[in-house]
Amino acid sequence: EMNLVESGGGLVQPRRSLRLSCSVSGFTFGDYAMSWFRQAPGQGLQWVALITNRAYGATTQYAASVRGRFTISRDDSRSIVYLQMSSLKTEDTAVYFCSRAVSEYGDSWYFDLWGRGALVTVTS
Amino acid sequence: SYDVTQPPSVSVSPGQTASITCSGDNLGDKFVAWYQQKPGQSPVLVIYKDNKRPSGIPERFSGSNSGNTATLTISETQPVDEAEFYCQAWDSSIVILGGGTKLTVL
């Protein structure tokens, strides 16, 4: 069974850092790009970041709202994708979902598997 | 930056057909995916590449995309289909998400 499990969420003060992890099982992690989304309480889905797989150079893309503060990375040997979040703001409070990204040619990505999410609360 | 627009809400009676639109400049030139999200749950992919249905998604879910509008159509809508639906595209190396449409089955 294919599974994505997020961890590392919790309570954090503004301007501090936090790292989320997403452990993957049930498919060959290295064959896929991975992405992070978030959803603030009562709000819609927001894309955060994407990292391609090694075949596409493990390149990264970020939403404008997190670029320069968040870093997505992956450890193919452990089947984990990370989201390092720095200089956190109260508006970063959300449930963070990791997802598997699919594309035929390295663009026009869509997301076919999702984790259950991890809550990050940024508050003083 | 590229934006797509969805209606905030759509209502449909059980057994009828629901249509949820997603509008953007020349959206028909891009591939569109649709996700269903029920309260407290993760999103589920229901349509990808405009009109492809993942395994396990009922045949009553279909999609189209032409001109400036992509449409998710749910035929013979059931109460279990009540959820928030999001359209998604890709533009200039960025994931574009619609604001979501609340589908009410009543």
Side-chain angles (χ1 to χ4, degrees):
Chain A
E1 182 185 359
M2 295 178 286
N3 233 358
L4 293 77
V5 179
E6 301 91 342
S7 61
L11 218 59
V12 60
Q13 293 178 325
R15 297 177 299 280
R16 302 297 286 261
S17 298
L18 194 68
R19 189 179 78 164
L20 300 180
S21 301
C22 173
S23 298
V24 162
S25 59
F27 62 91
T28 305
F29 180 74
D31 287 348
Y32 290 90
M34 298 295 295
S35 193
W36 287 94
F37 290 77
R38 68 184 181 184
Q39 189 167 38
Q43 302 300 308
L45 270 179
Q46 182 184 23
W47 172 70
V48 174
L50 178 143
I51 184 167
T52 63
N53 61 343
R54 188 176 297 182
Y56 289 106
T59 57
T60 58
Q61 303 291 349
Y62 297 94
S65 59
V66 306
R67 193 175 298 128
R69 299 190 300 124
F70 289 12
T71 302
I72 187 172
S73 61
R74 60 189 297 154
D75 184 338
D76 288 1
S77 67
R78 300 177 64 194
S79 298
I80 299 177
V81 58
Y82 300 102
L83 185 68
Q84 177 69 47
M85 303 182 291
S86 304
S87 302
L88 281 161
K89 306 175 182 180
T90 55
E91 51 263 43
D92 294 318
T93 293
V95 174
Y96 285 73
F97 298 97
C98 77
S99 64
R100 187 175 80 170
V102 182
S103 165
E104 279 189 347
Y105 305 112
D107 63 1
S108 295
W109 300 97
Y110 61 92
F111 307 92
D112 68 339
L113 291 176
W114 295 70
R116 300 184 71 170
L119 177 62
V120 173
T121 303
V122 184
T123 180
S124 52
Chain B
S1 63
Y2 191 88
D3 288 319
V4 292
T5 302
Q6 298 180 237
S9 62
V10 168
S11 296
V12 64
S13 299
Q16 299 303 302
T17 297
S19 294
I20 299 173
T21 58
C22 177
S23 300
D25 286 345
N26 298 311
L27 185 58
D29 293 339
K30 309 178 190 302
F31 280 130
V32 171
W34 291 91
Y35 303 88
Q36 177 189 47
Q37 187 181 31
K38 298 181 180 180
Q41 298 184 19
S42 309
V44 173
L45 177 71
V46 295
I47 293 290
Y48 66 98
K49 293 180 70 176
D50 295 340
N51 54 22
K52 304 291 188 288
R53 201 174 49 250
S55 61
I57 300 302
E59 288 185 12
R60 62 178 185 275
F61 287 84
S62 63
S64 64
N65 184 18
S66 179
N68 295 324
T69 304
T71 303
L72 173 69
T73 302
I74 309 170
S75 58
E76 300 178 348
T77 307
Q78 302 179 6
V80 70
D81 298 330
E82 189 163 286
E84 194 85 17
F85 288 85
Y86 297 91
C87 64
Q88 176 252 313
W90 175 263
D91 180 80
S92 301
S93 301
I94 298 295
V95 173
I96 308 299
L97 278 167
T101 298
K102 167 69 174 170
L103 176 67
T104 301
V105 182
L106 40 67

